[in-house]
């Protein structure tokens, strides 16, 4: 499409404008248009300087991620960058917005870079399991030195324009717009009042320090983390090659590494995660539906969850009134808010000034009437249906017209909560994950009567809070916790069958989780799921297998890290648990009481059953219409349950393992415990039609 690139020529200056909203991704049409426009300017005898600018909110934020894995279309980005870098005429890149990935590589090909204030620059390819593949690994270390270049490429994190100027990554931060500044510079050059080197001239003047370069490479290699993620190691190899190989060979070396990495399952999974997160936030049925404005919020309940939510809201500049039942509880709630802020300041995640500004926005009250002006009221009281419905009945009377009434409950039916008010259309579920101030996931739970604009408000709020929202229907536990429960149940079966919690945790860490299910339970506390099990005990089907090992641990006071012992033992001040023979004895006694003869359970079986249980619960969520699509389930598990990102989530992992294989395993397992392992209906439907979960995301 020719209109993705526009050219204009005035007084010897060719200005080429890139225009491919929303982020000017460097897709094939844009590359073709830019190559043609650049060739024209390069060969036009009237043109003496070329300026590259971008229309809209940003300079290109990278290659088009959706093109990866498809046959490449000419011109490739490295060819385009090579043409610009080889220009005999000076080229100025006028930068603004988010100059990322291939976008930064395009800028690196220019001789001069000017950035508008507020520009951020980075090479995030590593987070997609790949490396800068358009010359970035070669040009960047030559420009700013190997150490900072490795820092940028291995972290994937963007830097601000001022820092980029310090590093020599850009040549100037403009006063106003970058395009205007580039124009002034070009005119000064044409008037003989300024120098404008080409990229080749600048490169010729540089002399690398081989010792410093190789030492940066060696220390980066020594610091390599997860050996199953190949991209960081390949980035380091490329930077080394930039010093040791002739220039052309260095570029070819980078290209080979890029092409190999793009094809890896890890890169496929990371790309899926990137696109799935954006897909989760997009709700086509809400296009054109306005979100309600949120300036003031109320949070009812100042426990750990309520305080965390208050901090999240304050961080987005929303004024918060915290409501508790009496002054003592209120003081404790406000103290929790202060503590979360304090820790954030200590860890450098919040400046003292930002904390002061947030604190200005907090108030407290002991009566719900204080919330009559709030635009949003989030209920975070304890999981007690009578209490919650009472709060909502009161809020229905007190809250102003069009206030959004949100419940954080994951076990009390949202539709029953909504029915307690006179205005079910205003009621929505906002299921935060602890700690709510930091965890990325927010499940937006849509009730039978929730108005579309209230749903739109939930998604807009998530974006404002910097969270990733996933839409869920009403059920017990929603998406993330239902899958977590299925995972734990499958692992509990194995625990009773003969595995130790330590073997299970090690097997799941080896799969890629940062911690195993029993370490996770110790961290969050065994008493919370215990209380839930007791609450649900009357509804439990006695024919279903029930593993009581967790109950026995709780009865023995082993509530997890906070009690100094759970599945692991935590000697004074230790956060990392040690294995405890008492736990193994307790499990053995429980097996004996149930008449279970322990069998050998291997790590491969643990991982297979864990994945089958998670994917099958995900499939049930699709059968029931609770989750919108498989990629939403993946997002919930990545952002809320620490599922390894480079495996893409349970539904993608199931696709990669093969649906037929997993369905057959589920059938095998179902012979032991039909109710839990019975395959959801959707497996057969997909297999019969030759489809995968990925096909349902489109
Ligand atoms: N390719 C394709 N689409 C992209 C894209 C990309 N690189 N970056 C963003 N988009 C799309 C998103 O999918 C979304 O689409 P939608 O509206 O249809 O949902 C839209 O642009 C807006 O994106 P966000 O919702 O993320 O908008 P934000 O304002 O929150 O963030 C951003 C903007 C900071 C640019 C963020 O989108 C981002 O980080 N993008 C990815 C940057 C990146 O990883 N670049 C490297 C790509 S790999 C590469 O360049 C290889 C090279 O070395 C050869």
């Amino acid at each position: 499409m020719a209109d993705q690139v526009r050219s204009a020529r005035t007084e010897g200056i060719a200005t080429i404008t890139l225009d491919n909203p929303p982020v000017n991704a460097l897709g094939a049409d844009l590359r073709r248009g830019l190559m043609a426009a650049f060739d024209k300017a390069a060969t036009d005898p009237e043109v003496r300087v070329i300026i590259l600018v971008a229309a809209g909110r940003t300079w290109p934020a990278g290659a088009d991620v959706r093109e990866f894995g498809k046959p490449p279309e000419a011109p490739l980005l490295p060819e385009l960058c090579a043409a610009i870098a080889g220009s005999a005429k000076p080229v100025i890149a006028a930068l603004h917005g988010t100059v990322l990935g291939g976008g930064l590589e395009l800028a690196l090909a220019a001789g001069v870079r000017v950035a508008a204030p507020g520009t951020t620059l980075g090479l995030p390819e590593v987070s997609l399991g790949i490396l800068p593949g358009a010359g970035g690994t070669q040009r960047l270390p030559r420009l700013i030195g190997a150490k900072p270049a490795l820092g940028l490429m291995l972290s994937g994190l963007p830097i601000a324009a001022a820092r980029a100027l310090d590093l020599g990554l850009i040549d100037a931060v403009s006063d106003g717009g970058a395009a205007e500044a580039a124009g002034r510079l070009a005119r000064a050059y044409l008037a003989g009042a300024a120098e404008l080197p080409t990229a080749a001239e600048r490169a010729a003047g540089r002399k690398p320090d081989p010792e410093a370069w190789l030492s940066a490479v060696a220390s980066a290699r020594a610091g390599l983390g997860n050996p199953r993620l190949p991209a960081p190691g390949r980035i380091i190899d490329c930077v080394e090659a930039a010093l040791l190989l002739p220039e052309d060979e260095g570029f070819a070396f980078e290209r080979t590494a890029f092409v190999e990495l793009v094809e890896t399952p890890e890169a496929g999974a990371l790309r899926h995660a990137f696109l799935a997160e954006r897909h989760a936030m997009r709700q086509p049925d809400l296009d054109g539906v306005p979100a309600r404005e949120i300036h003031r919020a109320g949070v009812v309940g100042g426990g750990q969850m309520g305080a965390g939510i208050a901090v999240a809201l304050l961080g987005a500049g929303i004024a918060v009134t915290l409501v508790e039942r009496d002054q003592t509880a209120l003081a404790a709630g406000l103290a929790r808010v202060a503590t979360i802020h304090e820790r954030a300041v200590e860890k450098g995640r919040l400046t003292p000034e930002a904390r002061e500004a947030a604190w200005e926005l907090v108030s407290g009250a002991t009566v719900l009437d204080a919330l009559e002006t709030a635009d949003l009221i989030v209920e975070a009281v304890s999981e007690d249906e009578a209490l919650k419905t009472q709060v909502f009945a009161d809020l229905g009377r007190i809250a102003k017209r069009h206030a959004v009434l949100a419940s954080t409950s994951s076990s009390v039916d949202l539709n029953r909560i909504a029915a307690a008010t006179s205005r079910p259309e205003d009621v929505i579920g906002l299921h935060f994950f602890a700690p709510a101030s930091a965890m990325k996931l927010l499940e937006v739970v849509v009730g039978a009567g929730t108005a579309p604009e209230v749903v739109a408000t939930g998604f807009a709020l998530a974006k404002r809070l910097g969270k990733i929202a996933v839409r869920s229907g009403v059920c017990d536990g929603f998406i993330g916790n239902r899958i977590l429960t299925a995972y734990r149940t499958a692992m509990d079966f194995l625990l009773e069958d003969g595995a130790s919690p330590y073997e299970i945790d090690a097997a799941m860490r080896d799969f890629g989780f940062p911690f195993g299910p029993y370490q996770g339970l110790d961290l969050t506390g065994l008493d919370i799921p215990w209380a839930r099990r007791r609450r649900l005990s009357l509804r439990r089907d006695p024919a279903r297998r029930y593993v009581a090992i967790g109950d026995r641990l709780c009865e023995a006071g082993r509530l997890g890290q906070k009690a100094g012992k759970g599945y692991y033992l935590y000697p004074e001040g230790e956060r990392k648990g040690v294995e405890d023979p008492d736990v193994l004895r307790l499990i053995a006694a429980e097996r004996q009481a149930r008449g279970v003869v322990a069998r050998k359970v291997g790590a491969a079986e643990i991982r297979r059953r864990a994945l089958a249980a998670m994917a099958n619960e995900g499939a049930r969520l699709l059968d029931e219409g609770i989750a919108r699509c498989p990629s939403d389930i993946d997002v919930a598990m990545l952002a809320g349950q620490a599922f390894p990102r480079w495996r893409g989530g349970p539904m993608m992992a199931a696709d990669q393992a093969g649906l037929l294989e997993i369905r057959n395993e589920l059938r095998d397992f179902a012979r032991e415990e039909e109710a839990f392992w019975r395959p959801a209906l959707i497996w057969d439907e997909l297999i019969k039609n030759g489809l995968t979960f990925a096909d349902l995301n489109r």
Side-chain angles (χ1 to χ4, degrees):
M1 260 181 291
D3 61 359
Q4 287 192 9
V5 177
R6 294 189 297 274
S7 297
R9 196 189 73 190
T10 27
E11 300 161 21
I13 303 168
T15 301
I16 301 176
T17 304
L18 313 179
D19 192 2
N20 179 24
V23 297
N24 274 311
L26 293 155
D29 287 328
L30 188 138
R31 293 196 305 273
R32 265 192 294 274
L34 176 53
M35 190 64 125
F38 187 78
D39 279 348
K40 191 158 169 265
T43 50
D44 181 342
E46 300 290 314
V47 171
R48 291 181 52 211
V49 184
I50 302 168
I51 298 177
L52 302 178
V53 299
R57 63 194 238 210
T58 182
W59 175 267
D64 190 332
V65 173
R66 290 161 305 191
E67 283 183 357
F68 294 155
K70 296 184 186 152
E73 279 188 58
L76 301 180
L77 194 54
E79 295 162 1
L80 188 56
C81 291
I84 294 170
S87 170
K89 299 174 184 177
V91 180
I92 309 173
L95 312 173
H96 77 288
T98 42
V99 179
L100 301 176
L104 179 53
E105 293 176 289
L106 181 68
L108 285 171
V112 173
R113 285 159 289 280
V114 178
T119 305
T120 53
L121 304 95
L123 290 167
E125 283 87 344
V126 72
S127 64
L128 294 169
I130 54 173
L131 50 72
T137 66
Q138 308 297 293
R139 291 195 180 97
L140 186 66
R142 288 192 195 120
L143 182 66
I144 65 171
K147 194 170 175 217
L150 281 164
L152 273 177
M153 289 189 272
L154 293 175
S155 74
L157 297 174
I159 53 170
R163 172 86 183 121
L165 187 62
D166 283 348
L167 289 174
L169 176 52
I170 55 174
D171 300 293
V173 179
S174 59
D175 271 346
E180 291 72 20
R184 284 194 295 276
L185 196 57
R187 285 191 296 278
Y189 167 73
L190 293 178
E195 302 258 316
L196 264 190
T198 63
E201 285 162 355
R202 286 189 83 165
R206 277 183 220 121
K207 286 260 167 298
D209 171 354
E211 213 172 300
W213 193 302
L214 291 174
S215 129
V217 164
S219 68
R221 254 192 207 119
L224 273 176
N226 185 350
R228 283 193 303 199
L229 284 179
R234 303 299 293 271
I235 289 173
I236 300 169
D237 295 345
C238 287
V239 171
E240 186 177 44
L243 176 76
L244 301 179
L245 296 183
E247 198 176 280
D248 282 357
E249 286 179 36
F251 285 123
F253 188 87
E254 177 196 84
R255 185 74 200 152
T256 306
F258 177 82
V259 170
E260 284 173 13
L261 286 175
V262 164
E263 298 295 329
T264 58
E266 292 81 11
L270 290 166
R271 269 196 309 276
H272 165 74
F274 173 84
L275 293 171
E277 283 169 357
R278 276 137 189 101
H279 185 62
M281 297 288 277
R282 221 174 33 233
Q283 304 292 313
D285 62 317
L286 299 176
D287 278 350
V289 176
R292 293 184 186 168
E293 299 226 347
I294 308 287
H295 303 289
R296 302 196 55 82
V299 175
V300 186
Q304 215 50 48
M305 181 52 80
I309 293 169
V311 169
L313 293 166
L314 291 166
I318 299 170
V320 174
T321 302
L322 191 68
V323 179
E324 261 294 359
R325 59 183 179 279
D326 55 38
Q327 281 300 342
T328 315
L330 178 60
L334 291 171
R336 283 186 197 101
V337 172
T339 305
I340 299 171
H341 275 150
E342 190 56 41
R343 294 219 177 105
V345 171
E346 275 164 22
K347 290 193 172 150
R349 288 200 305 258
L350 189 73
T351 62
E353 296 76 33
R355 177 187 45 193
E356 291 315 308
W359 202 243
E360 291 285 304
L361 296 172
V362 186
S363 56
T366 53
V367 285
L368 289 174
D369 296 277
L371 302 182
E372 62 185 8
T373 59
D375 307 300
L376 163 74
I377 302 173
V378 185
E379 164 276 308
V381 302
S382 53
E383 290 288 315
D384 169 342
E385 180 160 349
L387 178 61
K388 284 190 190 274
T389 44
Q390 184 56 55
V391 167
F392 273 82
D394 292 344
L395 290 179
R397 272 184 288 102
I398 293 162
K400 71 178 189 187
R401 219 171 137 244
H402 293 322
V404 171
L405 310 180
S407 171
T408 57
S409 177
S410 64
S411 63
V412 181
D413 187 309
L414 183 74
N415 292 326
R416 284 207 295 272
I417 291 177
T421 71
S422 49
R423 43 205 281 195
E425 66 280 7
D426 291 332
V427 177
I428 193 166
L430 292 180
H431 186 224
F432 290 83
F433 287 71
S437 54
M439 286 291 284
K440 276 273 173 203
L441 181 63
L442 178 64
E443 287 175 325
V444 175
V445 186
V446 181
T450 311
E453 63 181 75
V454 173
V455 184
T457 309
F459 278 90
L461 179 73
K463 181 129 196 164
R464 212 168 144 192
L465 302 185
K467 299 204 182 289
I468 297 167
V470 169
R471 185 173 185 147
S472 173
V474 178
C475 69
D476 193 16
F478 313 127
I479 299 171
N481 282 352
R482 257 184 66 173
I483 296 184
L484 178 66
T485 303
Y487 168 39
R488 284 179 176 164
T489 303
M491 296 300 95
D492 278 354
F493 290 168
L494 288 181
L495 198 58
E496 200 174 63
D497 286 347
S500 82
Y502 315 123
E503 287 164 341
I504 292 175
D505 281 348
M508 295 316 293
R509 282 197 307 270
D510 195 48
F511 178 81
F513 276 92
F515 45 80
Y518 299 105
Q519 290 171 300
L521 273 163
D522 272 4
L523 191 71
T524 51
L526 274 66
D527 49 336
I528 301 164
W530 187 35
R532 193 180 132 76
R533 287 195 297 274
R534 279 180 299 177
R535 239 186 357 256
L536 297 177
S537 61
L538 290 179
R539 279 197 262 153
R540 187 180 311 128
D541 176 359
R544 281 186 83 144
R545 181 173 177 186
Y546 181 78
V547 176
I549 293 168
D551 297 352
R552 298 291 101 82
L553 285 163
C554 289
E555 286 152 13
R558 306 191 69 112
L559 301 182
Q561 259 186 40
K562 61 185 168 193
K565 55 184 182 175
Y567 284 93
Y568 294 76
L569 201 59
Y570 301 88
E572 196 62 32
E574 279 276 344
R575 295 198 61 183
K576 200 169 161 329
V578 292
E579 298 182 7
D580 186 351
D582 279 354
V583 170
L584 299 180
R585 275 192 286 276
L586 185 148
I587 294 171
E590 188 59 22
R591 280 185 199 128
Q592 206 178 13
R594 305 253 162 173
V596 177
V597 180
R599 67 176 175 89
K600 180 92 196 103
V601 179
E605 181 182 353
I606 294 169
R607 287 192 288 269
R608 271 208 330 272
R609 287 193 186 239
L611 178 61
M614 287 189 249
N616 196 37
E617 193 62 18
R620 285 186 182 146
L621 289 161
L622 293 169
D623 275 356
E624 294 165 28
I626 298 295
R628 198 180 53 146
C629 58
S631 70
D632 276 7
I633 296 171
D634 285 340
V635 171
M637 290 303 289
L638 297 176
Q641 306 290 1
F643 195 98
R645 193 171 170 88
W646 54 275
R647 289 200 185 263
M651 309 319 276
M652 178 172 202
D655 272 349
Q656 285 186 338
L659 300 196
L660 186 63
E661 193 166 330
I662 296 202
R663 197 276 322 264
N664 288 347
E665 278 181 352
L666 287 166
R667 282 186 177 168
D668 282 348
F669 301 153
R671 285 198 207 104
E672 305 156 12
E673 168 64 26
E674 157 72 14
F676 178 75
W677 287 111
R678 185 189 323 114
L681 301 176
I682 202 164
W683 294 98
D684 279 351
E685 223 172 282
L686 291 174
I687 293 165
K688 200 168 62 200
N689 292 304
L691 298 173
T692 60
F693 285 119
D695 291 309
L696 303 182
N697 296 328
R698 300 203 174 94

